[in-house]
Amino acid sequence: MIGLETRTCLRFFLLSGLFLFMPSCGPQGPAETDRAPNVILIVVDTLRADYLGRADLKTPVLDEFAREGVEFDKAFSHVPITLPAHTALFASRYAQVHGVVNNAQEVPIELPLLANWLGQNGYDSQAVISMGTLAAQKQGTWLDRGFDQYDDDMADLIGGEELNAKLFPVLTELKGGDPFFLFAHYSDPHVPLNAHGTAEHPVELIFDNEDPIHLECSDSISLEKKMRFSVGEHRLRLNSNARNELDFVVNRLRIQIQDGHHQRLLKIKPIVGHIGAALRNQEFTFEVPEVDGQAELDAEFYIWINEETGPVEMVRRYELEVEYVDRMVGLLLDELRSLGLYENSLIIFTSDHGEGLGTHELMGHVHHLYDEAIHVPLMIKLPRKDSRFERLQAASDQIARHIDLVPTILDLLMLPDLPGQMGESLLVDQPRIHFAETRQPAADQDLVALRDEQFKMIYRVEEKRFEMYDLVADPQERLNVYQEMQHMRPDWIEQLKTLAKANLQVERVLDEDTEEMMRALGYL
């Protein structure tokens, strides 16, 4: 974990040398309403900015939401990893300052967070999340701190339909009470990517010589089932019956028995394949021990599998997932309207990071800082009687950073700043410089980057090598112009070297269960 003294020095450096643009806030505020506006933050995990508003994709809900609110076309995440990106957003601090640079790290207990701050100012804070990387491994040491209710009760990953089934009762309870802050986190389109009915891949699960259990794994699927096993060795076979040549992956496999007042996890031995392997047929064995002289024992069986796809099919399924999550967010917005909560709510829509889909010959998002990994959508809808739409619109052509969201929310609510916040309110029309990083051990190597309206410079720390891109002439970041154009941003060279030296001690809370989950989600 980064120490307090180091964090203070880095914060001073980042603010004094790079990013200090002090706001000149005007007097105009929201019109009087009967109650303070609600705050609803919708984050769609792994959603690239350039996959919305496209003629070849059906995203009518978010396209209309962008027209109704204010859309920031140049919005960026600070880390292409879920937990660090969300922590930067909620704390208004860069990752190397708040100290969380990988998943499975504890969030420092002294770190001020938005939910805490809104709670101290009369807000009921609720969260419903959809992915295990945001689940609190130990209460109060994750982003759950400050939420009155933080619903992370799930196995590993749930889709938008399941998330909405959890969200809607929460909204019903919140209606008519104190003003609320709601954090809704959708995991579509994070891997594994679903086919949404456009493909079939049946898999049979066969215990010993019992009748098969049929699963369809073209959509990522998990099965929890109560079973009963006799004492002794058992065999589980998984056979693909797909007509295509695609393999399937067993992400998670767990069998628990009741041993007195405790659950005992059985050791599962791979015979053909293993957890995380992509094959068409796999086989495992496990031993059920004798407990209190019982010949048979009750057990809880859990498996999570999905189809393994190549790069071309991944892109197609990513598009399907984007269209799907658009529909799911649409249902959420409709529910807000039906409950009378939409008009008086400040609604922010964004993503934690993007996804590499073959550009730069890269898939995924952890290992690079090109725009496909950090350029995110950002849309803000003001409460109905707030008169500051034009101020927000005037600033929408500037760079917007995730660290700017908390200051913007608090500015719009006319509440005090979050202590130590490093961002600036987006109500202020001013140029900003964006800083991003990705760190080992999740990333292959440490990378840090700076960008403004025209240029991006990336420093590969271990290689001591720089890349630079003219984003106006080369928005796809194909041509490295560092040798020819480094003189255009000479200060960035030393600044990036300094930022790369952050004394980070990455201590991840990785038990066997968490390690399996993170591997299945592509983080190990």
Side-chain angles (χ1 to χ4, degrees):
M1 190 64 64
I2 189 167
L4 178 61
E5 182 179 351
T6 307
R7 284 203 302 269
T8 303
C9 292
L10 280 168
R11 184 179 186 279
F12 176 79
F13 172 74
L14 288 165
L15 286 175
S16 62
L18 242 50
F19 307 129
L20 183 56
F21 298 96
M22 295 303 292
S24 54
C25 297
Q28 190 177 31
E32 289 293 320
T33 59
D34 294 332
R35 84 198 273 278
N38 306 309
V39 180
I40 300 170
L41 173 64
I42 304 170
V43 178
V44 173
D45 213 290
T46 322
L47 178 60
R48 288 171 52 152
D50 59 350
Y51 271 69
L52 297 180
R54 286 176 33 171
D56 59 333
L57 291 181
K58 298 175 183 176
T59 55
V61 172
L62 292 172
D63 294 346
E64 178 57 32
F65 186 76
R67 288 189 290 269
E68 182 179 354
V70 177
E71 182 175 19
F72 290 79
D73 291 327
K74 302 169 188 171
F76 297 93
S77 168
H78 299 287
V79 191
I81 304 174
T82 300
L83 181 61
H86 281 86
T87 307
L89 191 161
F90 281 118
S92 185
R93 286 162 170 80
Y94 301 104
Q96 63 176 252
V97 175
H98 63 62
V100 181
V101 296
N102 274 197
N103 288 328
Q105 285 185 256
E106 291 188 354
V107 177
I109 193 69
E110 73 275 10
L111 186 68
L113 298 171
L114 177 62
N116 270 116
W117 198 240
L118 290 178
Q120 293 177 35
N121 285 276
Y123 275 76
D124 184 352
S125 295
Q126 306 278 328
V128 184
I129 67 166
S130 61
M131 194 162 64
T133 46
L134 292 181
Q137 295 184 38
K138 189 165 111 181
Q139 190 172 4
T141 64
W142 234 251
L143 290 178
D144 61 318
R145 186 159 46 82
F147 284 97
D148 298 288
Q149 179 179 327
Y150 189 86
D151 186 350
D152 58 359
D153 183 16
M154 66 190 155
D156 292 295
L157 183 77
I158 59 173
E161 188 173 346
E162 294 171 90
L163 186 79
N164 282 345
K166 293 181 163 211
L167 276 169
F168 291 2
V170 172
L171 289 172
T172 301
E173 291 178 9
L174 289 170
K175 181 182 179 183
D178 292 332
F180 63 83
F181 167 46
L182 175 67
F183 169 41
H185 172 264
Y186 291 84
S187 60
D188 328 89
H190 197 286
V191 294
L193 300 170
N194 294 333
H196 293 285
T198 64
E200 293 183 355
H201 193 144
V203 172
E204 289 183 342
L205 277 64
I206 305 171
F207 285 96
D208 301 321
N209 294 313
E210 301 291 329
D211 292 337
I213 299 171
H214 299 280
L215 295 179
E216 172 52 58
C217 74
S218 60
D219 286 349
S220 173
I221 186 169
S222 60
L223 172 69
E224 294 181 84
K225 186 177 177 62
K226 292 187 181 300
M227 305 188 72
R228 193 165 176 83
F229 295 108
S230 60
V231 172
E233 186 178 78
H234 295 268
R235 189 172 298 265
L236 169 62
R237 289 176 290 133
L238 296 93
N239 299 323
S240 171
N241 291 324
R243 295 179 181 177
N244 59 36
E245 296 301 317
L246 296 176
D247 298 325
F248 67 87
V249 178
V250 178
N251 295 310
R252 302 270 254 153
L253 180 58
R254 185 171 65 234
I255 302 173
Q256 294 183 127
I257 60 169
Q258 193 70 31
D259 186 352
H261 297 292
H262 304 284
Q263 294 273 358
R264 187 198 297 189
L265 196 63
L266 299 185
K267 184 175 180 59
I268 299 174
K269 298 178 182 179
I271 303 300
V272 178
H274 56 82
I275 304 300
L279 294 168
R280 291 181 63 81
N281 298 284
Q282 303 198 40
E283 189 171 336
F284 303 86
T285 64
F286 58 95
E287 183 87 18
V288 177
E290 182 178 332
V291 177
D292 297 331
Q294 299 179 72
E296 292 187 338
L297 294 173
D298 292 327
E300 294 182 3
F301 170 73
Y302 172 70
I303 189 169
W304 174 25
I305 65 175
N306 65 270
E307 189 174 48
E308 180 77 358
T309 58
V312 174
E313 179 64 9
M314 283 188 71
V315 173
R316 186 186 79 86
R317 293 193 183 189
Y318 185 88
E319 294 173 349
L320 292 171
E321 293 273 49
V322 171
E323 293 182 340
Y324 170 78
V325 81
D326 181 82
R327 297 193 295 273
M328 295 303 104
V329 172
L331 293 175
L332 172 59
L333 298 181
D334 287 345
E335 185 71 6
L336 289 169
R337 293 185 183 98
S338 69
L339 293 172
L341 297 172
Y342 186 82
E343 292 296 329
N344 193 41
S345 291
L346 168 62
I347 304 177
I348 302 99
F349 177 90
T350 189
S351 175
D352 58 341
H353 53 72
E355 181 82 334
L357 293 170
T359 309
H360 301 100
E361 289 71 53
L362 293 167
M363 304 297 288
H365 49 265
V366 175
H367 305 292
H368 61 101
L369 294 176
Y370 299 117
D371 271 9
E372 57 262 32
I374 58 174
H375 185 200
V376 296
L378 176 60
M379 309 163 197
I380 300 176
K381 184 204 78 73
L382 297 178
R384 179 171 56 87
K385 293 184 180 180
D386 195 307
S387 58
R388 291 170 291 180
F389 179 88
E390 290 184 1
R391 280 182 61 192
L392 200 60
Q393 184 71 51
S396 64
D397 61 345
Q398 302 284 1
I399 285 177
R401 308 162 300 183
H402 268 172
I403 61 167
D404 298 321
L405 294 189
V406 164
T408 304
I409 291 168
L410 297 176
D411 194 1
L412 288 166
L413 298 178
M414 301 186 72
L415 292 177
D417 291 351
L418 183 74
Q421 68 183 35
M422 299 183 73
E424 301 289 349
S425 171
L426 294 174
L427 285 167
V428 181
D429 186 1
Q430 63 187 13
R432 295 176 175 86
I433 294 176
H434 176 255
F435 170 60
E437 60 191 312
T438 190
R439 298 283 183 172
Q440 300 179 81
D444 293 334
Q445 61 175 306
D446 287 356
L447 304 174
V448 290
L450 292 170
R451 69 165 294 144
D452 58 18
E453 298 282 349
Q454 182 167 4
F455 292 105
K456 178 194 282 186
M457 189 180 290
I458 301 172
Y459 181 45
R460 296 181 175 271
V461 180
E462 280 70 30
E463 300 175 33
K464 294 182 170 55
R465 179 167 66 86
F466 287 90
E467 299 173 26
M468 187 174 183
Y469 299 96
D470 183 342
L471 301 170
V472 175
D474 176 28
Q476 299 299 315
E477 301 166 278
R478 295 290 195 177
L479 181 62
N480 182 0
V481 294
Y482 176 75
Q483 294 300 327
E484 300 89 340
M485 304 194 77
Q486 59 182 283
H487 66 279
M488 299 296 293
R489 298 293 185 270
D491 293 344
W492 286 9
I493 297 171
E494 290 306 316
Q495 288 170 352
L496 284 172
K497 288 180 179 179
T498 300
L499 291 165
K501 293 176 183 176
N503 183 24
L504 296 165
Q505 297 176 14
V506 182
E507 298 176 5
R508 299 191 292 185
V509 184
L510 275 180
D511 56 23
E512 184 178 347
D513 192 58
T514 303
E515 189 171 339
E516 276 190 9
M517 178 267 294
M518 287 180 57
R519 182 173 289 107
L521 294 171
Y523 290 111
L524 289 177

